[in-house]
Amino acid sequence: MKNFIFLCILILALQSCYIYRPYEPLPGEQMPSFREQLKPNQKYEVSTANENFKIQMLEWQKDSLLVLRNKRDTVKLAENQITAVKHSVFSRSRSDALTFATYGAIGVLIYFLIK
């Protein structure tokens, strides 16, 4: 039981408070192209015809996007390969939920340690 509780606390502690959402232009604006949406040194989830990548954008090189994948692999993606882009944004509700769940798990752990 103690191992299960410890595992739950560890999983909650390693969760991220960031989520990926599609770009939403302001009312009255048109949807910008992928080239205008992607900014250097920002994190994105890019969809291609075959798969999804969680990337950090490095730079544009003519018609190719140079990205950092898995924090060490540099990959080039052609602009016409990209089908969708999601931006990494902070989620306040997810942060609050993880905080309360972690506090609850720690309380349960303390209860079982004292008992």
Side-chain angles (χ1 to χ4, degrees):
M1 182 68 175
K2 289 181 185 179
N3 290 339
F4 177 73
I5 294 171
F6 180 72
L7 180 64
C8 289
I9 291 173
L10 184 64
I11 288 171
L12 288 172
L14 295 177
Q15 290 293 316
S16 174
C17 294
Y18 286 86
I19 59 173
Y20 291 95
R21 288 197 177 141
Y23 181 78
E24 297 173 1
L26 297 173
E29 281 187 359
Q30 290 186 355
M31 184 67 127
S33 67
F34 296 129
R35 185 177 284 272
E36 295 167 352
Q37 287 182 29
L38 300 173
K39 306 288 185 224
N41 299 321
Q42 298 291 321
K43 294 183 180 183
Y44 300 97
E45 183 176 298
V46 176
S47 299
T48 62
N50 300 333
E51 60 186 311
N52 295 335
F53 297 103
K54 289 187 180 176
I55 60 154
Q56 179 178 355
M57 187 215 168
L58 297 175
E59 65 180 340
W60 283 102
Q61 294 180 342
K62 297 183 184 177
D63 288 342
S64 296
L65 177 64
L66 185 63
V67 300
L68 191 62
R69 185 175 156 193
N70 299 330
K71 297 185 180 180
R72 64 179 177 271
D73 299 332
T74 305
V75 178
K76 268 189 176 180
L77 297 173
E79 186 175 7
N80 59 5
Q81 285 180 314
I82 300 171
T83 57
V85 174
K86 293 182 180 178
H87 299 260
S88 176
V89 294
F90 182 77
S91 173
R92 175 70 190 245
S93 59
R94 188 170 186 177
S95 172
D96 291 345
L98 287 172
T99 301
F100 290 126
T102 303
Y103 287 159
I106 290 171
V108 169
L109 178 66
I110 290 171
Y111 174 76
F112 281 115
L113 287 175
I114 292 174
K115 187 176 176 182

